[in-house]
Amino acid sequence: MPADARGVLDPAGRCVAHRGRTARRVLASAATLNTPTAPSAAVDEWIRERQSRGRLHVEPIPFSDLQGWDMDPTTGVMRHRSGRFFTVEGVHVTGPRVPNGAWAQPIIVQPEVGVLGLLAQELDGVLHVLIQAKMEPGNADGLQLSPTVQATRSNSTGAHHGRPVRYFERFVNPAGGEVLLDVLQSEQAEWFLAKQNRNMLVEVPSHETIEVADDFCWVTVGQLARLLSRDDDLVNMDTRSILACLPSGVDDADLPADLAGDSALRRSVLDPTAPTVHETEALVCWVNAVRSSESLIQRLVPLTDAVEHGWTIGDRAVSHRDAGHFRVVATAVNASSREVGSWDQPLIEPTEPTTFYLVVTAFRGVLHALVQARVDVGQRDLAELAPTVQARPSQVDGARAIPYLDAVLAVPASQRLFDSTLSEEGGRFLNARNRYVVVDLPLDVMATDPEGPEAGHAWMSLLQLNEILRQSNVVNVELRTLVSCVRSLLTPGR
Amino acid sequence: MPADARGVLDPAGRCVAHRGRTARRVLASAATLNTPTAPSAAVDEWIRERQSRGRLHVEPIPFSDLQGWDMDPTTGVMRHRSGRFFTVEGVHVTGPRVPNGAWAQPIIVQPEVGVLGLLAQELDGVLHVLIQAKMEPGNADGLQLSPTVQATRSNSTGAHHGRPVRYFERFVNPAGGEVLLDVLQSEQAEWFLAKQNRNMLVEVPSHETIEVADDFCWVTVGQLARLLSRDDDLVNMDTRSILACLPSGVDDADLPADLAGDSALRRSVLDPTAPTVHETEALVCWVNAVRSSESLIQRLVPLTDAVEHGWTIGDRAVSHRDAGHFRVVATAVNASSREVGSWDQPLIEPTEPTTFYLVVTAFRGVLHALVQARVDVGQRDLAELAPTVQARPSQVDGARAIPYLDAVLAVPASQRLFDSTLSEEGGRFLNARNRYVVVDLPLDVMATDPEGPEAGHAWMSLLQLNEILRQSNVVNVELRTLVSCVRSLLTPGR
């Protein structure tokens, strides 16, 4: 191995914004639903117009027809001929939490760190972000609103033999701009092995005029929040992930007057002086404790090794005999407005939707979320913080007891603060439409365990989660979506 | 995989100390070389006495004689029959930084997170830490001073069929105590695949009396610093790692008067208001940028796959044909004062020592260290911060240009602020004695590159490094050792 890593980048010239100032500006943007740059009606019209431009045509094909991809006849591993993008392989895991001690399944391997980058600019006195109407083959409904840039080095450097990725350079080399957010975060540990992406918000100086291409549109954070709660499957997973990471703690004096939400919500998201059940440091310590009490050995193996764990490698799908799992399928994609016009690729297709619940309740006038420390197959660091409950239809009827599942299923609609169907990343997942629900459960209903929450769960405020999100790979992607859902409740006029 | 991770631990009752207060107490302890509990002479006498108690007898044996271990005849993989401890396997890496694009070598796989725990208590008005005189088979000089606890779940739960690990419970469940430090940190990425340990400092309430076993001794942080700079191979790697992570930023008013070191050093380690070349956030951003520009695909493979990369699997060693690499050897160990009396195990043995240099220089009256972003074979997160230069004898004479190597080799002894031989962890590494050197280089000597440091390097103050050390797996273990060496310069009377 190289004796010296010679980097390509230098910290010089990177100008990183003060977190408190960014939080104030993000919140002011969250409170704004209309600006001269981005009138609400015009944003809606732009979305409709982009949706009318046709969509990707995605056709299931046999693995043997996958152009540009090889499926190893012996191992079943799928690999692009360029050696880039990603591979689909087998992963074998062992550990005390693994049922029967061992398990194997297909998994996506993509060791590059992608950039999920949102450009920001102060326009009309308010921070706007530049979203992209992006079509991905796995999207249930054609286009979704992605960050300005959603790219790995592979596709940014033209591995698609297509156009370079617009605005990519502004994130790689934000000279002249200001970095408002920059943190690595994980992705679905059930489907990816140790994947992480770089979540960024980079501000363009206000004197500079950015060319806004057809697929792009300036919106406020409030408009994004409105779209998140209004439309199913519109605000994509990567945008939600960035929204969740944006700083939110401000001094009381800085509160925008026109934020919505009751005092318990606002104090939870915004107020660094709000009382909490645990100290933030104790929560970090708890995560470390869980991680050091766990063990999970992950090995890449031939896909064929998954066969003895119930998987079948067919001509058109790698699938499991039991309900609740996923399939690997091959697709042929025809596009008009993407980097290249058509291509083939494997996708992961869930066979059932998952519902992710976040239970919130007020302690001492501050909303707290009940968070689970969860171990999944592809986890980079053994355990991450996850939603209170996650369940699939086949599990709900099954014998397995999932903590708090009965409680959240019994919640009447009036106590659901947020309830939408939102998709996972359509570049890798086919029709991965999951339901995200935030439920307000009074403490006396929750107190089925007199000693406090179930082992493996802990209460924390939204601002504590936001602080923990400064660290990489502690809060999982589904919980990040739910954090963005809770934060959308602050936007007026939902 | 399990649908719900049911944890065993709860954040309730964890009491985490305020960081600034801990820093003050740590610094006061660093300034103290003698207390009624721990008179310097008595500490020295205790070390001598422990050293006189005999030592481990370590004998090289053929792999076929390894009791309790199996070496797979086809793959060469070494595995304990219990399935616990660690395995020695092959790792295959590909990536743009890898010479010729691909490389394979032996590597230790140990996915458990071990606890490196130091117990602390306020005695005679000063914070003391409980060190252990621990013999490990790989130690060049018999015993070394380890943290109070140095254990993985495997050995804490009696996998050695021996005694339980003393004081372990205080770190797993610090009820009644206070957690002063808790952070996961990586280990040698050349020899371990993605290894990390939990670095902890836990305080015992002062009203409680701890039973101090024979192998243990209370010392101040200053005494540890004195031993670190005085004796080769005495303060072990895990102790150094914890010392580096201890908080160090304090208000000016809190400075212990009797700390040593000039103003540039003190401001660098202690002063949150000291000017720095870059903002800390910009440095974190730089690390993210390096990580997202890299790609390193690590696969566990049969050890025999390393053969085509120059490795030979012999009866008594797995070794490489070129100088500068390491060997895997088998050993039979006979002990008196360890959990079990005798055992066999494989060890990794470097064939050459490495010298790790940290270049420091003052900018605007504040000492800055020149840090490298480095990619190594077994890295968990693609790149970590590393010493300015690391070099082995075979590299120094070789053709490979290592940035700053000529500059550090030319430094006269008077500009070496610290220069000692310190060992890496003797439980896994045999005679891994490396040299750690801190050199003070005036900026005009360094300015071989008019544009600033070499790409892949950045200047940062010691307090910035300390802040970055709050995150897991960003600062590598050799740089942590050098940070502990720099911090030892604050202790009076070296």
Side-chain angles (χ1 to χ4, degrees):
Chain A
M1 265 295 283
D4 289 276
R6 303 289 297 272
V8 292
L9 299 140
D10 197 88
R14 258 161 230 279
C15 180
V16 179
H18 182 263
R19 200 167 160 87
R21 178 165 183 266
T22 300
R24 278 199 305 278
R25 301 173 73 208
V26 165
L27 289 168
S29 183
T32 305
L33 283 174
N34 246 312
T35 67
T37 298
S40 254
V43 170
D44 286 346
E45 178 50 35
W46 170 77
I47 294 170
R48 267 194 301 275
E49 193 274 330
R50 298 316 302 172
Q51 282 168 332
S52 71
R53 291 285 185 102
R55 46 193 297 170
L56 293 179
H57 182 70
V58 180
E59 193 187 345
I61 57 173
F63 289 121
S64 56
D65 286 0
L66 268 178
Q67 292 295 314
W69 290 78
D70 289 318
M71 189 176 187
D72 187 298
T74 315
T75 63
V77 168
M78 296 169 218
R79 195 181 302 276
H80 196 260
R81 272 171 212 155
S82 67
R84 300 169 97 168
F85 306 113
F86 60 94
T87 54
V88 179
E89 313 196 22
V91 68
H92 182 270
V93 290
T94 50
R97 299 276 195 108
V98 181
N100 307 318
W103 168 248
Q105 65 164 58
I107 203 149
I108 301 177
V109 181
Q110 186 177 11
E112 279 181 292
V113 179
V115 170
L116 309 180
L118 201 49
L119 269 192
Q121 191 169 35
E122 181 141 328
L123 300 164
D124 312 317
V126 178
L127 203 64
H128 285 63
V129 295
L130 190 63
I131 53 170
Q132 180 181 8
K134 193 172 169 82
M135 284 190 283
E136 293 283 7
N139 288 358
D141 243 345
L143 71 79
Q144 293 191 16
L145 304 182
S146 84
T148 320
V149 163
Q150 186 175 312
T152 59
R153 223 163 38 92
S154 282
N155 51 25
S156 73
T157 52
H160 281 291
H161 304 299
R163 301 193 295 270
V165 173
R166 271 199 207 91
Y167 311 113
F168 187 72
E169 270 306 309
R170 291 191 176 264
F171 296 93
V172 174
N173 190 12
E178 193 167 36
V179 178
L180 307 187
L181 175 78
D182 184 357
V183 66
L184 304 184
Q185 297 293 1
S186 64
E187 308 235 325
Q188 280 83 358
E190 187 184 349
W191 299 328
F192 275 121
L193 182 65
K195 177 89 180 90
Q196 56 181 357
N197 279 322
R198 190 176 175 202
N199 288 243
M200 298 184 82
L201 184 70
V202 170
E203 182 175 3
V204 179
S206 42
H207 60 77
E208 197 184 331
T209 303
I210 291 276
E211 188 204 343
V212 177
D214 269 3
D215 291 338
F216 295 82
C217 182
W218 287 114
V219 297
T220 64
V221 173
Q223 286 172 327
L224 264 183
R226 186 179 57 97
L227 296 168
L228 178 66
S229 51
R230 191 191 70 184
D231 293 0
D232 283 354
D233 303 314
L234 184 60
V235 176
N236 91 345
M237 178 185 102
D238 300 329
T239 305
R240 302 192 306 261
S241 173
I242 297 171
L243 286 175
C245 296
L246 296 179
S248 74
V250 292
D251 291 338
D252 216 37
D254 296 323
L255 267 189
D258 38 3
L259 280 181
D262 63 14
S263 146
L265 171 64
R266 288 207 237 174
R267 296 195 71 194
S268 177
V269 177
L270 313 171
D271 183 1
T273 67
T276 53
V277 172
H278 307 291
E279 289 177 49
T280 308
E281 291 284 333
L283 294 168
V284 171
C285 184
W286 170 64
V287 173
N288 289 343
V290 173
R291 286 179 169 177
S292 68
S293 74
E294 291 294 336
S295 160
L296 182 71
I297 307 184
Q298 301 154 324
R299 284 169 199 280
L300 285 176
V301 293
L303 200 44
T304 44
D305 284 14
V307 170
E308 64 187 278
H309 293 271
W311 295 88
T312 303
I313 305 178
D315 294 340
R316 291 176 164 264
V318 180
S319 52
H320 198 271
R321 63 174 172 233
D322 297 334
H325 287 282
F326 60 88
R327 282 188 288 265
V328 184
V329 296
T331 57
V333 186
N334 279 286
S336 51
S337 75
R338 210 169 178 279
E339 287 88 351
V340 289
S342 72
W343 71 94
D344 291 354
Q345 72 167 87
L347 285 166
I348 288 219
E349 182 181 27
T351 56
E352 290 185 323
T354 303
T355 304
F356 295 95
Y357 296 92
L358 188 66
V359 169
V360 295
T361 200
F363 288 94
R364 297 175 62 192
V366 178
L367 210 64
H368 280 64
L370 184 60
V371 163
Q372 180 192 165
R374 188 180 163 87
V375 180
D376 265 314
V377 174
Q379 213 99 61
R380 172 177 281 274
D381 276 322
L382 289 160
E384 288 193 7
L385 300 182
T388 321
V389 175
Q390 68 183 69
R392 291 174 179 151
S394 59
Q395 294 173 316
V396 172
D397 303 326
R400 259 196 119 252
I402 298 178
Y404 301 114
L405 178 59
D406 292 343
V408 294
L409 290 176
V411 166
S414 63
Q415 279 167 242
R416 289 189 214 124
L417 304 181
F418 187 101
D419 187 350
S420 283
T421 294
L422 300 167
S423 292
E424 312 308 325
E425 223 284 297
R428 298 289 173 270
F429 312 125
L430 180 61
N431 298 323
R433 304 178 71 224
N434 290 323
R435 188 173 153 217
Y436 286 92
V437 187
V438 181
V439 294
D440 187 359
L441 271 186
L443 201 56
D444 53 346
V445 176
M446 294 297 295
T448 43
D449 325 281
E451 303 299 298
E454 290 272 345
H457 288 72
W459 292 103
M460 54 194 77
S461 77
L462 272 290
L463 186 53
Q464 289 185 307
L465 267 171
N466 189 250
E467 281 298 306
I468 292 171
L469 276 164
R470 299 175 76 168
Q471 301 214 12
S472 293
N473 308 325
V474 180
V475 177
N476 83 357
V477 63
E478 294 90 357
L479 182 53
R480 296 204 301 279
T481 280
L482 281 163
V483 167
S484 74
C485 299
V486 174
R487 285 180 63 167
S488 78
L489 304 176
L490 287 173
T491 291
R494 288 178 68 243
Chain B
M1 263 297 281
D4 291 277
R6 303 288 297 270
V8 291
L9 298 142
D10 197 88
R14 259 160 228 282
C15 180
V16 180
H18 181 261
R19 201 168 160 87
R21 177 165 184 265
T22 301
R24 279 198 306 277
R25 301 173 73 207
V26 165
L27 289 166
S29 182
T32 305
L33 283 175
N34 245 312
T35 66
T37 299
S40 258
V43 171
D44 287 346
E45 179 51 34
W46 170 77
I47 294 171
R48 266 193 302 275
E49 193 273 332
R50 297 315 304 171
Q51 284 168 332
S52 72
R53 291 283 185 105
R55 45 193 297 170
L56 293 181
H57 180 69
V58 180
E59 193 188 344
I61 57 173
F63 289 120
S64 56
D65 287 0
L66 268 178
Q67 292 296 312
W69 290 78
D70 289 318
M71 189 176 186
D72 186 297
T74 316
T75 63
V77 168
M78 295 168 219
R79 197 181 303 276
H80 196 261
R81 272 170 212 156
S82 67
R84 300 170 96 169
F85 306 113
F86 59 94
T87 55
V88 180
E89 314 197 20
V91 68
H92 182 270
V93 290
T94 51
R97 300 276 195 105
V98 181
N100 308 317
W103 168 249
Q105 66 164 57
I107 202 148
I108 301 176
V109 181
Q110 187 176 8
E112 278 181 293
V113 178
V115 170
L116 309 180
L118 202 48
L119 269 192
Q121 189 168 35
E122 181 141 327
L123 300 163
D124 312 317
V126 178
L127 204 64
H128 285 63
V129 296
L130 189 63
I131 54 170
Q132 180 182 8
K134 194 173 168 81
M135 285 192 282
E136 293 283 6
N139 287 357
D141 243 343
L143 71 80
Q144 292 191 14
L145 304 182
S146 84
T148 320
V149 163
Q150 186 176 314
T152 58
R153 225 162 36 93
S154 281
N155 51 25
S156 72
T157 52
H160 279 293
H161 303 296
R163 301 193 294 271
V165 174
R166 270 199 208 90
Y167 309 114
F168 187 72
E169 270 306 310
R170 293 191 174 263
F171 297 93
V172 174
N173 191 12
E178 195 168 33
V179 178
L180 307 186
L181 175 80
D182 183 357
V183 65
L184 304 183
Q185 297 293 3
S186 64
E187 307 235 324
Q188 281 82 359
E190 186 183 351
W191 299 327
F192 275 122
L193 182 65
K195 177 89 180 89
Q196 57 182 356
N197 278 322
R198 188 175 176 203
N199 288 242
M200 297 185 82
L201 183 70
V202 169
E203 183 175 4
V204 178
S206 41
H207 60 78
E208 198 184 332
T209 303
I210 290 276
E211 188 204 343
V212 177
D214 268 4
D215 291 340
F216 294 82
C217 182
W218 287 113
V219 297
T220 65
V221 173
Q223 285 172 327
L224 263 183
R226 185 179 58 98
L227 296 169
L228 178 67
S229 52
R230 191 191 70 183
D231 292 0
D232 283 355
D233 302 314
L234 183 60
V235 176
N236 92 343
M237 179 185 101
D238 300 328
T239 305
R240 302 191 307 260
S241 174
I242 297 171
L243 286 175
C245 296
L246 296 179
S248 74
V250 290
D251 292 337
D252 218 36
D254 297 323
L255 267 188
D258 36 5
L259 280 181
D262 64 13
S263 145
L265 170 64
R266 288 206 238 174
R267 297 196 69 194
S268 177
V269 177
L270 313 172
D271 183 0
T273 69
T276 53
V277 171
H278 307 291
E279 289 176 49
T280 309
E281 291 284 332
L283 295 168
V284 172
C285 186
W286 170 65
V287 173
N288 289 343
V290 172
R291 286 177 169 178
S292 68
S293 73
E294 290 295 338
S295 161
L296 183 71
I297 307 185
Q298 301 156 323
R299 282 168 200 282
L300 286 175
V301 293
L303 200 46
T304 44
D305 283 15
V307 170
E308 64 186 279
H309 294 271
W311 295 87
T312 303
I313 305 179
D315 294 339
R316 291 176 164 263
V318 180
S319 51
H320 198 271
R321 64 175 172 234
D322 298 333
H325 287 281
F326 59 89
R327 281 188 288 267
V328 184
V329 296
T331 57
V333 186
N334 280 285
S336 52
S337 77
R338 210 168 178 280
E339 287 87 349
V340 289
S342 72
W343 70 94
D344 291 355
Q345 72 166 87
L347 285 167
I348 288 219
E349 183 181 28
T351 57
E352 291 185 323
T354 304
T355 304
F356 295 94
Y357 295 93
L358 188 67
V359 168
V360 296
T361 198
F363 289 94
R364 297 177 59 194
V366 178
L367 209 65
H368 280 64
L370 185 60
V371 163
Q372 180 192 165
R374 186 178 165 88
V375 180
D376 264 314
V377 174
Q379 212 98 59
R380 172 178 281 275
D381 276 323
L382 290 157
E384 288 193 9
L385 300 182
T388 321
V389 175
Q390 68 183 68
R392 292 178 177 146
S394 59
Q395 293 173 316
V396 172
D397 302 327
R400 259 197 119 250
I402 297 179
Y404 302 114
L405 178 60
D406 291 344
V408 295
L409 289 176
V411 165
S414 63
Q415 280 167 239
R416 288 186 215 128
L417 304 182
F418 188 101
D419 187 349
S420 282
T421 294
L422 301 168
S423 291
E424 312 308 328
E425 221 286 298
R428 298 289 174 270
F429 313 125
L430 180 60
N431 297 323
R433 305 178 72 225
N434 291 322
R435 189 174 153 216
Y436 287 91
V437 188
V438 180
V439 294
D440 186 359
L441 271 185
L443 201 55
D444 53 347
V445 175
M446 293 298 296
T448 42
D449 325 281
E451 305 298 298
E454 290 271 345
H457 288 71
W459 293 102
M460 56 195 75
S461 76
L462 271 292
L463 186 52
Q464 289 185 307
L465 267 171
N466 190 250
E467 280 298 307
I468 293 171
L469 275 164
R470 299 175 76 167
Q471 302 213 10
S472 293
N473 308 325
V474 180
V475 177
N476 81 359
V477 63
E478 295 90 356
L479 182 53
R480 296 203 301 280
T481 280
L482 281 162
V483 167
S484 75
C485 298
V486 174
R487 285 180 64 167
S488 78
L489 304 175
L490 288 172
T491 290
R494 286 179 67 240

